[in-house]
Amino acid sequence: MRRLLLVTALVLSSPMPLAAQDSLPPAPYAYQQLDDPELEAKATDLMHTLRCLKCQSQSIADSDAPMAGDMRHQVRTRIAAGESPAEVRQWLVDRYGEYVSYQPRVTASTWPLFVAPLLVLLLAAFILRGRLVKRKEPGK
């Protein structure tokens, strides 16, 4: 019984499963380009507009993260299978959310993000105009 408990404790505390995750080989098209230059150009253009979910500051075309490699593989595989870049983008957005795209769509939940900067600029122009008019008034 003690041996069984000891073996169980050793297996559960072993770091092997964690180390095995990083030793998986990359997906075939993670670092290999498509044979057709036109399809590769479409895939590359699309990859530059998709965010690496692990790095968050790089596109999947520029990132060395394993997840970005898997996403590059998916993009190239789907483009080679005949899907359009828009279809591949939509599939990735459906899977990972709008955050994956550097070119988000205007929707009911995102329109304030597009309108807010314009409102701030209009407010700043209104305040600046008001201050300049006050300075030009005689007697003040």
Side-chain angles (χ1 to χ4, degrees):
M1 184 68 165
R2 285 186 201 180
R3 273 192 184 171
L4 181 61
L5 288 174
L6 181 61
V7 169
T8 303
L10 286 174
V11 169
L12 291 177
S13 66
S14 172
M16 290 297 281
L18 295 176
Q21 294 298 319
D22 288 337
S23 64
L24 291 174
Y29 284 117
Y31 299 100
Q32 178 184 349
Q33 294 184 350
L34 296 172
D35 293 333
D36 184 348
E38 185 179 326
L39 292 178
E40 179 61 29
K42 285 181 184 180
T44 302
D45 289 344
L46 177 59
M47 287 186 278
H48 281 290
T49 65
L50 298 170
R51 183 187 320 266
C52 173
L53 298 174
K54 184 136 183 163
C55 305
Q56 297 178 1
S57 63
Q58 291 181 312
S59 70
I60 64 171
D62 300 327
S63 175
D64 288 331
M67 182 171 203
D70 290 341
M71 291 171 75
R72 285 193 301 271
H73 170 77
Q74 288 295 327
V75 167
R76 285 184 173 124
T77 301
R78 288 174 173 274
I79 293 284
E83 290 186 39
S84 71
E87 291 171 326
V88 177
R89 172 187 300 287
Q90 187 58 50
W91 179 79
L92 287 166
V93 167
D94 291 344
R95 185 170 184 175
Y96 298 112
E98 199 68 42
Y99 182 76
V100 76
S101 177
Y102 278 127
Q103 300 170 346
R105 294 174 296 170
V106 178
T107 63
S109 62
T110 61
W111 72 266
L113 298 173
F114 292 93
V115 174
L118 295 174
L119 293 176
V120 169
L121 284 174
L122 287 173
L123 180 64
F126 182 73
I127 291 171
L128 186 61
R129 182 179 161 263
R131 289 184 181 228
L132 291 176
V133 168
K134 283 183 180 179
R135 285 187 186 172
K136 290 183 179 180
E137 289 180 5
K140 285 195 174 181

